[in-house]
Amino acid sequence: MTTETPLAGAVADGTAEPSLFATMSTMRAMRRLRPDPVPDELVDQLVQAAVWGPSGGNMQRYEYVVVTDPAVMAELAPLWKRCVDAYLATTGKYAPEGMDEAAYGRMVAAIEYQRDHFAQTPALIIPCYQFPPPRIEEEGLRIYAKALGAEATERMGRIQERFSALAEGSCVYPGVQNLLLAARGLGLAANITIWHLFLENEWKAALGVPEDMNTFAAIPVGWPQGNFGPVRRRAVEEVVHRNRW
């Protein structure tokens, strides 16, 4: 079941609805972009919003690749097409549970439109992050193992790769959400994708991203062809587990 987010009106204390909530409730993934350029100062505002996002340990080791050169975008377009085609042939072949086929068909049409017009994308932002080498000493490991216990320590050894990936992601994606909110607030269309990871090495080579730097998203940005509107999401009462599952 999906419902339109009911955020119009007053909040709990009776005051007017904060503009942030109105922004979030109309922040659809907008894939049909006009080819008109986005001024550099607006793109910089988006990155500034991302930089304001929290970063684990306040390390702030993020970097952002910003593409606005049409020649570079044209070089990336074939890579984008290959990634989208791979997605639509596998994970994206069927509508998600709870989404009707007509709605999914419209979403796929927008994805295909973006694929076919990618070379005309006004701006593309790719957030990157790299943790520094860990500084771990024997005494620290002893305390770590004692605090967790033998079973949890052994499990952490098995899932360390996943833990590291999630830790890096947690330093990147809050900033990405800030970027998306800023885009909506400025009237810009944007959507987050990770399809580039199908061909990450090729993307990094095309953009000169260092081999040891991890990329976390490819975010097309531009002026929307259509209108922003209310998002459709599951109702709060369907997703909340109060105090325990």
Side-chain angles (χ1 to χ4, degrees):
M1 175 181 176
T2 59
T3 60
E4 293 192 3
T5 308
L7 288 175
V11 293
D13 63 0
T15 60
E17 175 191 293
S19 59
L20 175 61
F21 282 82
T23 298
M24 290 188 292
S25 69
T26 58
M27 197 174 68
R28 288 175 172 169
M30 304 287 278
R31 298 180 176 91
R32 298 178 188 270
L33 309 178
R34 303 204 313 259
D36 311 63
V38 177
D40 288 343
E41 56 267 27
L42 291 188
V43 176
D44 288 349
Q45 280 188 266
L46 301 184
V47 177
Q48 176 64 83
V51 168
W52 284 331
S55 174
N58 198 29
M59 288 185 287
Q60 303 186 43
R61 292 178 63 88
Y62 35 68
E63 308 284 344
Y64 293 87
V65 178
V66 176
V67 180
T68 55
D69 186 336
V72 177
M73 206 74 72
E75 291 179 23
L76 297 175
L79 290 178
W80 184 271
K81 182 181 186 308
R82 290 170 61 193
C83 291
V84 172
D85 288 349
Y87 168 77
L88 291 177
T90 53
T91 306
K93 189 173 183 179
Y94 303 103
E97 183 179 352
M99 187 175 189
D100 66 68
E101 292 294 336
Y104 188 64
R106 291 191 295 272
M107 189 177 84
V108 169
I111 291 172
E112 292 174 336
Y113 179 92
Q114 188 175 56
R115 175 197 64 193
D116 298 340
H117 296 81
F118 187 81
Q120 288 81 51
T121 301
L124 181 72
I125 301 174
I126 298 179
C128 307
Y129 204 91
Q130 181 192 55
F131 265 148
R135 293 183 295 178
I136 300 176
E137 56 203 27
E138 185 175 343
E139 176 64 11
L141 285 175
R142 186 188 66 78
I143 296 173
Y144 170 94
K146 181 179 179 181
L148 295 184
E151 182 178 345
T153 299
E154 190 274 334
R155 178 178 177 273
M156 284 301 300
R158 297 197 311 269
I159 69 165
Q160 187 58 46
E161 183 176 355
R162 176 172 179 260
F163 180 87
S164 297
L166 288 173
E168 277 194 320
S170 70
C171 294
V172 176
Y173 291 123
V176 169
Q177 181 68 2
N178 272 11
L179 188 157
L180 296 172
L181 285 166
R184 173 66 186 90
L186 293 169
L188 289 164
N191 69 289
I192 178 175
T193 74
I194 60 169
W195 299 330
H196 77 288
L197 293 175
F198 290 137
L199 297 171
E200 186 180 25
N201 290 340
E202 287 90 335
W203 281 83
K204 289 166 71 172
L207 295 170
V209 178
E211 289 186 8
D212 58 354
M213 179 66 70
N214 294 319
T215 63
F216 286 84
I219 307 168
V221 177
W223 302 108
Q225 289 189 19
N227 299 316
F228 293 100
V231 299
R232 296 182 64 83
R233 299 292 186 265
R234 294 172 62 192
V236 171
E237 59 268 20
E238 292 182 9
V239 301
V240 170
H241 306 268
R242 300 195 185 278
N243 301 316
R244 65 180 66 219
W245 190 280

